[in-house]
Amino acid sequence: MPQTLSPQYAIQAKNLSVYYGAFRAVKNITLSIEQRKVTAIIGPSGCGKSTVLRSFNRMNELTPSASIAGEILFMGQNIYAPEVDPVEVRRRVGMVFQKPNPFPKSIYENVAWGARLNGFRSGLGRPNMDEWVETCLRKAALWDEVKDKLQQSGLSLSGGQQQRLCIARAIAVKPEIILMDEPASALDPIATLKIEELMRELAEEYTIIVVTHNMQQAARVSDFTAFFSMDEDRAGALVEYGLTTQIFTTPKDSRTEGYITGRYG
Amino acid sequence: MPIHSPRETFDRALQKLLDQVLLLGSMVEEAVQGAMEALQRRDHIAARRIYAADQQINEKRYAIESECIALIATQQPMARDVRFLAAILEIITELERIGDYAKGICRINLLLGESLIDPAAWLSLQQMAALGLDMLHRALDAFVCQDVKTARAIPAEDDAVDSLYNQLYRRLVAQMAGQPETVERSNHLLWAAHNLERMADRVSNICERIVYVSTGEIKELDSTEGNIETPGN
């Protein structure tokens, strides 16, 4: 894939429709995601938030009946073009899931494994693996809590720590974008706030796209917010997209207003 | 608001808050009206009573403020809801200040002692108060009805109040120059007029917040730019 960075956008959906078999789950989404910002996608259940998120790194292809129409441009190229390797897309566009899912391996290996698989080599002027694991764990705000027990199982950590371990694992392969699907919904309030703080920090280096049901979380953590809703034909559609401060104080569309004030439907 | 809102509890709390703001508004209107009537009658007993009752206006304002903050903390209001609560915080401050003007007029009543008020000056004061109170009353109605058009129109009426103030100012200054023994009394009356002039300005600020609730725009609803060289603008 070409390395030319579009000046402003990390990734763009153009007239994106996603189908599960004959059912059109989302339709005609056109959405440009700003680089190194946190963009939140909000909307009621079934409006296609996660479907769109998963299409940003071709994760939706793992669902057998899924297909798409339209384009997703990453670094100026359609990631669904035939010559594009989905594995490479998923390295550069990482993902963190709702339920923390560390490998049943040591904390150290959780981070090192992906890096090694993606050809991480230490050497002159490059960090060695120990240094890289430490760097990633520090970026994920987890290092201080695990530095003395790197060989313990990742599964021995608390839920919030496991989720930060998954974030460390995601950044270990040097992605440009990190997709997060309800990353804090299984966590307690303090662990949730830690993840949110971390998202703000990560946005200095990575583009973050987060799907969340928690509107306060979207309001707290994101720079931009996209509100999705269901159309008459039950396909998810983008209703409004803008600066988070605008969406949560002066939404333009009455459907957005209804949803975020809790008077939807 | 829809009848079967999933936020019925919150909607009820907002309605209750609005009722409280209107109650505060009517307490303030009554205070200004009463202060003017007491001034006309030179009724010191009524003036002292209204002066003391300002404490209730202040307490009501703080109670509404506390309720707003509690709702912000517990209900996480968004969009129009947060604009509504933010507007109330501003509006109650303005109302409370108008209450202070009424209190100020009562104080002037006492300071004037038994001295008579020149009928022409009284007429100006009365007109200023009537215009200001009418603006306030319609502004509060516009707040309840979310009537942006009226809220945008009211501030222009401030010009008439300013004009009355300027006339009165010139009249009283001339009087002071011609009859030095009236200086203290005229000065007190000027102060009363100033309070009434400021009341109309506060109503304009309230109108700005009403527009904000509906549109999200925070903009000064200036009437024609005041002349910097005249006292009231």
Side-chain angles (χ1 to χ4, degrees), chain A residues 40 42 200 212 214-223 225 244-245 248, chain B residues 78:
Chain A
I42 60 169
R200 298 273 12 148
T212 176
N214 181 336
M215 276 184 294
Q216 278 69 42
Q217 177 168 81
R220 282 193 296 266
V221 82
S222 69
D223 302 292
T225 297
T244 296
T245 49
F248 286 100
Chain B
M78 298 281 192

Side-chain angles (χ1 to χ4, degrees), chain B residues 84-103:
Chain B
F84 180 75
L85 292 171
I88 284 182
L89 288 173
E90 292 286 334
I91 288 169
I92 58 175
T93 308
E94 302 293 351
L95 288 173
E96 194 245 339
R97 293 310 300 271
I98 295 175
D100 290 342
Y101 298 142
K103 184 178 163 186

Side-chain angles (χ1 to χ4, degrees), chain A residues 26-70:
Chain A
V26 296
K27 68 173 183 187
N28 293 337
I29 307 278
T30 294
L31 183 64
S32 298
I33 305 290
E34 302 258 349
Q35 275 187 24
R36 294 197 186 87
K37 299 283 180 197
V38 179
T39 298
I41 301 178
I42 60 169
S45 295
C47 72
K49 308 180 290 287
S50 295
T51 295
V52 168
L53 193 76
R54 292 159 65 86
S55 66
F56 279 146
N57 73 347
R58 294 182 63 166
M59 204 69 101
N60 59 324
E61 289 182 330
L62 304 177
T63 307
S65 64
S67 63
I68 78 146

Side-chain angles (χ1 to χ4, degrees), chain A residues 106-124:
Chain A
S106 70
I107 293 165
Y108 183 99
E109 270 309 305
N110 262 279
V111 181
W113 184 79
R116 205 179 290 124
L117 200 72
N118 278 283
F120 178 92
R121 270 181 226 93
S122 57
L124 215 57

